[in-house]
């Protein structure tokens, strides 16, 4: 990646990043030698993010991003999905304070996803609206405070009204130290999601809800939890509820 935090002398932020990977195969087939490797086994992501802060000396920021991705999740007995997509976002973020902000804008997303339910080609126009509140003392190792992130996005499908849907995601977490040195911290998290308006087969697989992994349900493989087909493949769902409570104990 390459990043600049004062691009034009007014604290403008620009980040360009790229990554590549050899993707897992969802059919369970293993790569045994170099001769088995196909072009479809490679994927990656190109992303650009630009922020122009304090428009006209106000607390409004202009935020824009562009993303191109080829990915494949899962692999093995969990299945997963494959996708190719591009996404463009632009919006205005208003900062009420250092801890509270709202953001609204427009997004365009186009591509295809393929999983055990079949292939979905899509072109979407979205109007994402986000609310963020973060009073934690440390973004990487919080010991007190509350974090709340909510997003509401209506998507209009350019390929037919039946593929239009309304996506909602809300996640909140709180932290409480039991001693002055924060060697013992209780952490709780609650997340909710819902997709309304389209049938599961018409929703792109990368917009459906999955659980599993360190950021949702610890101890389970990434995106390995969710509705399954008779063959055991996880296909994602149109709703989500996650809850966790843990004790974090500093050893050294």
């Amino acid at each position: 990646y390459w990043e600049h935090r004062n691009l034009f002398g007014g604290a403008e932020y620009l980040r360009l990043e790229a990554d590549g990977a050899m993707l897992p195969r969802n059919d369970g087939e293993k790569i045994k030698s170099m001769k088995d490797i196909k072009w479809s086994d490679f994927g990656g992501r190109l992303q650009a993010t630009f922020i122009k802060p304090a428009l006209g000396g106000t607390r409004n920021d202009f935020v824009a991003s562009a993303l191109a991705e080829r990915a494949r999740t899962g692999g093995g007995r969990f299945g997963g999905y494959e996708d190719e997509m591009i996404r463009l976002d632009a919006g205005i973020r208003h900062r009420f304070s250092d801890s509270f902000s709202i953001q609204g804008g427009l997004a365009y997303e186009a591509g295809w996803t393929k999983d055990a339910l079949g292939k979905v080609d899509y072109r979407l126009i979205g109007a994402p609206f986000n609310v963020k509140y973060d009073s934690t003392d440390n973004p990487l190792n919080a010991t007190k405070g509350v974090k709340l992130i909510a997003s509401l996005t209506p998507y209009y499908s350019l390929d037919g009204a039946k593929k239009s849907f309304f996506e909602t995601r809300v996640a909140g977490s709180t932290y409480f130290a039991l001693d002055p040195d924060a060697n013992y911290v209780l952490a709780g998290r609650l997340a909710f999601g819902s997709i309304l308006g389209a049938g599961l087969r018409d929703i792109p697989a990368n917009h459906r809800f999955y659980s599993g992994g360190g950021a949702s349900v610890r101890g389970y493989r990434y995106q390995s939890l969710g509705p399954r087909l008779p063959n055991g493949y996880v296909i994602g769902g149109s709703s989500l509820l996650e809850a966790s409570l843990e004790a974090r104990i500093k050893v050294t």
Side-chain angles (χ1 to χ4, degrees):
Y1 72 92
W2 177 86
E3 185 177 278
H4 202 302
R5 300 187 181 183
N6 192 27
L7 189 63
F8 303 120
E12 296 88 355
Y13 172 89
L14 176 64
R15 180 183 175 98
L16 307 175
E17 54 188 305
D19 63 61
M22 182 165 288
L23 306 176
R25 292 183 177 177
N26 291 333
D27 56 9
E29 182 182 353
K30 301 296 183 181
I31 298 176
K32 299 179 181 179
S33 68
M34 295 292 292
K35 296 180 180 180
D36 294 335
I37 298 177
K38 307 173 184 177
W39 282 112
S40 60
D41 292 322
F42 295 94
R45 173 181 296 175
L46 300 173
Q47 189 167 7
T49 304
F50 175 76
I51 302 175
K52 169 61 178 175
L55 293 173
T58 67
R59 283 183 168 268
N60 297 319
D61 307 329
F62 173 73
V63 181
S65 64
L67 169 67
E69 176 186 81
R70 169 171 169 72
R72 191 185 295 149
T73 67
R77 62 189 180 90
F78 295 110
Y81 65 82
E82 182 177 0
D83 82 303
E84 288 186 5
M85 56 87 81
I86 60 170
R87 182 181 173 100
L88 305 174
D89 283 89
I92 299 295
R93 177 178 62 197
H94 180 74
R95 294 173 283 111
F96 291 95
S97 66
D98 291 340
S99 58
F100 179 47
S101 66
I102 62 173
Q103 180 175 325
L106 293 174
Y108 173 77
E109 185 176 334
W112 58 265
T113 65
K114 183 168 62 176
D115 68 349
L117 290 181
K119 185 177 181 181
V120 178
D121 294 289
Y122 67 94
R123 293 178 300 153
L124 301 171
I125 297 290
F129 178 78
N130 305 313
V131 177
K132 182 177 181 180
Y133 176 78
D134 188 350
S135 65
T136 57
D137 58 338
N138 188 322
L140 300 179
N141 186 27
T143 62
K144 63 180 179 179
V146 175
K147 182 184 297 184
L148 175 66
I149 300 176
S151 65
L152 311 171
T153 309
Y155 284 104
Y156 175 76
S157 173
L158 300 177
D159 300 308
K162 74 172 186 176
K163 293 185 177 181
S164 300
F165 56 92
F166 185 84
E167 183 177 318
T168 304
R169 295 172 182 260
V170 180
S173 55
T174 184
Y175 308 86
F176 180 74
L178 300 179
D179 63 301
D181 294 327
N183 291 318
Y184 303 90
V185 178
L186 296 180
R189 177 179 176 272
L190 184 65
F192 167 81
S194 179
I195 301 176
L196 303 173
L200 195 63
R201 292 179 179 271
D202 293 320
I203 300 172
N206 55 358
H207 280 270
R208 299 179 204 147
F209 295 111
Y210 306 81
S211 287
S216 60
V217 183
R218 298 186 190 275
Y220 287 86
R221 183 173 175 172
Y222 176 66
Q223 292 193 349
S224 64
L225 299 177
R228 295 174 180 264
L229 294 179
N231 60 8
Y233 277 18
V234 178
I235 57 173
S238 57
S239 59
L240 170 75
L241 179 62
E242 295 171 344
S244 65
L245 177 65
E246 62 186 33
R248 301 179 177 183
I249 303 172
K250 187 181 294 184
V251 178
T252 63

